[in-house]
Amino acid sequence: MTTLTLQNHFVSLENFGHSLRAPAYVFKPKCDEDIAEAFRLAEKMGLTVTARGAGRSYNDASLNGGGIVLDLSEMNRIVSWDPQTGRVTAEPGVTLQKLWQHIEPEGWWPPVVSGTMLTTLGGCLAANVHGKNNFKMGPIGEHVIEFTARLPSGAQVTCSPKKNADLFYSMISGLGMLGIFTSITLQMKPIQSGLLEVSARPSHDLHEHLTDLLDNAPNYDYIVGWLDATTGGRGLGRGQIHAARYLHEGEDPNPQKTLQLKNQVLPARIMGVFPKSIVYVFMGPFMNNLGTWAVNTGKYITSLPRHTFRQSHAAFHFLLDYIPNWELAYGRGGLIEYQSFLPKETAEAAWTELLGLSLRRGLPSYLGVTKRHRPDKFLLSHAVDGFSLALDFKVTNGNRAKLSQMLQDFDRIVLQAGGRFYFVKNSETTPESTVGFLGAKTLAEFKKLKKRCDPDGLLESNLYRRVFA
Ligand SMILES: Cc1cc2nc3c(=O)[nH]c(=O)nc-3n(C[C@H](O)[C@H](O)[C@H](O)COP(=O)(O)OP(=O)(O)OC[C@H]3O[C@@H](n4cnc5c(N)ncnc54)[C@H](O)[C@@H]3O)c2cc1C
């Protein structure tokens, strides 16, 4: 990117759920110096800058209407990998897919992954993503040994839990608003087999669902629930729990085989025939209240028998990647996700109220996912000693305003119950709810760091303007 100009770079970008749109000047840096040059251009033109990884955030985290967006997908080299220690150094645009496929055949797995493998390491650090093992392994930031970042001031910083610790704990979770990660060193986790042992069992209501997550998480490495949010009454909160554990040495008779990539990658066809790439088209007609209720009821009934099975790491973690472009099934208005995090003591009452409200208003979520969490010490943390519930909602021209109002009502319920939100998911979080869950002291601390790293306020996104205004 020498002699950078804005000409021919104006592109309309969307969020993952295709419910938001924002045109921006998009550049694709290939190295750290390109990022510095983009900052200089932004300063000269009076524009703001947002980093973008794979654009898999559900909301406006990597959108910057009218500003510059730095698409880091071409800074995607794995710089070094040591299979003796499990230490990997990579550029920020490396996806989780590229990472796990590089290390898994040698008996390693990323310690924390998101529910899709298409996210980048930079995006994962900026959001501080959690996996289905959050209760045990914390967020991804806890496995970062060191990172370097380019600040808008032009300076380069290297941070670890011991070096520039204040920046370490704030840039991870900092939504790319303090600086841009340029190199990331992570510790991977050893695995003895390419398979996990998964226990699947039904939960008949919300109480049973949350009790299972709470009581059984300590006995497993991963735990996650599917929640049918289309059913109320005595079935409110019903669903299915999947709990998984690593296989110990000797439990897999042929680990060399199960660790092979060909036994991990998700099949491109269903039953070897039907191409998965068009499945979303057939999902479309069911994406309404009645259709989803029928599908969920069928899924719940088939989930009633308890069973245990073995599944590849990729299949267990990246279930959502099984159906490419599934989000398009939501139609032209797209979808938004609302994820709330609640302390274990208040979760059941708050979510009973919240799920009931969505049913009464005729706006049920079509997909609900629960997880067990523990707190962490990153500045803009979303975690609690409790649970999270992620709910996907279909957006249409007809329901947009009503949905927005309902999600703000959800915020009030969650805040009253001592809950928190996840900045890269929720689309309706306001400055008031942000102060409500982060607290004025944390926000003041973040703003102080922002002033230090970005004195001219170059780094801004639509999300930043929305929640930190
Ligand atoms: C299907 C699906 C499943 C998901 N499952 C989970 C899950 O299980 N757990 C979870 O925690 N999240 C989950 N997410 C959310 C997702 O992991 C986060 O939104 C993640 O940040 C997306 O990464 P990305 O590379 O696409 O980043 P983007 O969406 O492009 O950007 C996200 C944020 O990171 C910033 N950023 C990107 N690159 C850099 C960089 N190099 N330096 C500084 N800032 C940067 C952006 O400015 C933005 O603020 C899921 C998302 C999807 C679509």
Side-chain angles (χ1 to χ4, degrees):
M1 284 199 312
T2 46
T3 61
L4 214 55
T5 65
L6 296 177
Q7 220 174 358
N8 301 328
H9 284 274
F10 209 52
V11 176
S12 182
L13 294 175
E14 290 188 347
N15 62 328
F16 166 73
H18 306 286
S19 54
L20 304 165
R21 241 151 258 122
Y25 299 98
V26 178
F27 293 92
K28 294 190 171 189
K30 292 198 166 40
C31 62
D32 182 33
E33 183 42 41
D34 289 350
I35 297 174
E37 204 181 333
F39 277 136
R40 289 194 290 271
L41 176 72
E43 203 168 2
K44 193 169 104 189
M45 304 305 292
L47 296 173
T48 57
V49 178
T50 304
R52 185 171 171 100
R56 308 307 279 188
S57 291
Y58 278 88
N59 62 7
D60 47 1
S62 57
L63 298 179
N64 186 18
I68 290 177
V69 168
L70 296 181
D71 173 342
L72 293 151
S73 58
E74 291 187 4
M75 284 179 69
N76 62 3
R77 280 181 317 130
I78 294 182
V79 179
S80 69
W81 159 240
D82 182 351
Q84 299 306 316
T85 60
R87 194 181 261 227
V88 65
T89 298
E91 291 184 328
V94 166
T95 58
L96 287 180
Q97 176 173 28
K98 183 164 180 171
L99 176 64
W100 77 257
Q101 294 194 352
H102 195 80
I103 62 166
E104 195 269 351
E106 293 182 273
W108 296 87
W109 187 257
V112 171
V113 294
S114 52
T116 168
M117 62 172 107
L118 302 175
T119 50
T120 65
L121 291 181
C124 286
L125 259 61
N128 205 12
V129 300
H130 57 264
K132 301 173 180 72
N133 54 356
N134 189 256
F135 59 96
K136 198 166 194 166
M137 300 295 278
I140 194 165
E142 291 189 15
H143 308 278
V144 175
I145 296 169
E146 187 179 277
F147 67 76
T148 54
R150 176 67 76 166
L151 305 186
S153 61
Q156 218 184 12
V157 286
T158 299
C159 306
S160 73
K162 295 226 166 90
K163 191 174 175 187
N164 294 318
D166 55 348
L167 290 186
F168 182 85
Y169 286 103
S170 52
M171 289 182 76
I172 296 177
S173 78
L175 305 162
M177 291 297 107
L178 302 178
I180 298 191
F181 301 114
T182 51
S183 169
I184 296 163
T185 301
L186 286 158
Q187 179 62 49
M188 299 293 108
K189 195 177 177 348
I191 48 173
Q192 310 297 335
S193 161
L195 300 174
L196 291 164
E197 186 168 278
V198 187
S199 152
R201 53 205 181 232
S203 55
H204 299 94
D205 57 32
L206 188 59
H207 180 73
E208 194 182 322
H209 196 115
L210 298 180
T211 306
D212 191 324
L213 292 176
L214 184 66
D215 292 350
N216 290 312
N219 306 323
Y220 292 92
D221 294 302
Y222 301 96
I223 197 158
V224 62
W226 162 70
L227 186 142
D228 171 13
T230 62
T231 297
R234 284 168 50 182
L236 186 122
R238 72 184 188 180
Q240 187 183 32
I241 305 290
H242 278 118
R245 67 169 186 87
Y246 293 112
L247 295 186
H248 303 300
E249 212 171 338
E251 284 188 283
D252 179 352
N254 200 347
Q256 287 78 11
K257 188 168 170 216
T258 59
L259 283 167
Q260 282 171 17
L261 267 193
K262 66 173 189 254
N263 293 319
Q264 290 289 329
V265 286
L266 307 178
R269 289 172 183 273
I270 293 174
M271 291 184 282
V273 186
F274 201 57
K276 284 195 318 180
S277 52
I278 56 164
V279 169
Y280 78 88
V281 177
F282 296 94
M283 289 165 62
F286 295 96
M287 287 305 206
N288 52 63
N289 290 359
L290 187 63
T292 314
W293 173 81
V295 170
N296 281 2
T297 301
K299 180 171 159 59
Y300 175 68
I301 291 166
T302 56
S303 76
L304 287 174
R306 290 169 169 258
H307 57 293
T308 300
F309 57 99
R310 288 186 177 186
Q311 193 173 29
S312 74
H313 290 262
F316 177 77
H317 288 291
F318 307 123
L319 193 65
L320 290 168
D321 294 335
Y322 256 104
I323 300 174
N325 302 322
W326 59 266
E327 71 281 6
L328 297 178
Y330 278 82
R332 292 168 72 90
L335 82 143
I336 53 182
E337 181 162 294
Y338 182 91
Q339 189 172 24
S340 52
F341 292 70
L342 280 162
K344 55 187 187 306
E345 297 77 13
T346 59
E348 187 179 333
W351 284 331
T352 300
E353 196 181 340
L354 195 145
L355 290 166
L357 187 68
S358 71
L359 292 169
R360 285 197 302 281
R361 297 215 182 151
L363 292 169
S365 157
Y366 293 169
L367 176 67
V369 175
T370 54
K371 289 184 194 135
R372 171 84 173 106
H373 296 268
R374 68 156 162 81
D376 59 65
K377 46 186 197 168
F378 293 89
L379 191 63
L380 303 187
S381 174
H382 51 273
V384 292
D385 180 7
F387 314 101
S388 68
L389 170 63
L391 298 170
D392 287 2
F393 294 94
K394 177 171 173 157
V395 184
T396 63
N397 283 338
N399 80 3
R400 200 177 275 265
K402 215 171 134 192
L403 189 56
S404 166
Q405 179 57 52
M406 185 177 79
L407 300 185
Q408 285 171 40
D409 293 339
F410 281 9
D411 275 9
R412 278 187 281 281
I413 298 171
V414 171
L415 286 173
Q416 270 166 19
R420 301 176 83 88
F421 307 107
Y422 190 18
F423 282 125
V424 291
K425 298 239 173 140
N426 300 15
S427 304
E428 305 297 330
T429 314
T430 59
E432 294 71 37
S433 27
T434 303
V435 184
F437 87 90
L438 279 181
K441 197 166 155 248
T442 300
L443 275 176
E445 171 76 18
F446 183 64
K447 288 197 170 154
K448 208 167 116 199
L449 289 161
K450 172 98 175 135
K451 199 97 199 133
R452 189 170 119 205
C453 297
D454 183 17
D456 298 322
L458 280 188
L459 284 169
E460 271 193 12
S461 59
N462 283 13
L463 168 74
Y464 179 82
R465 288 185 281 272
R466 174 163 61 82
V467 298
F468 296 113

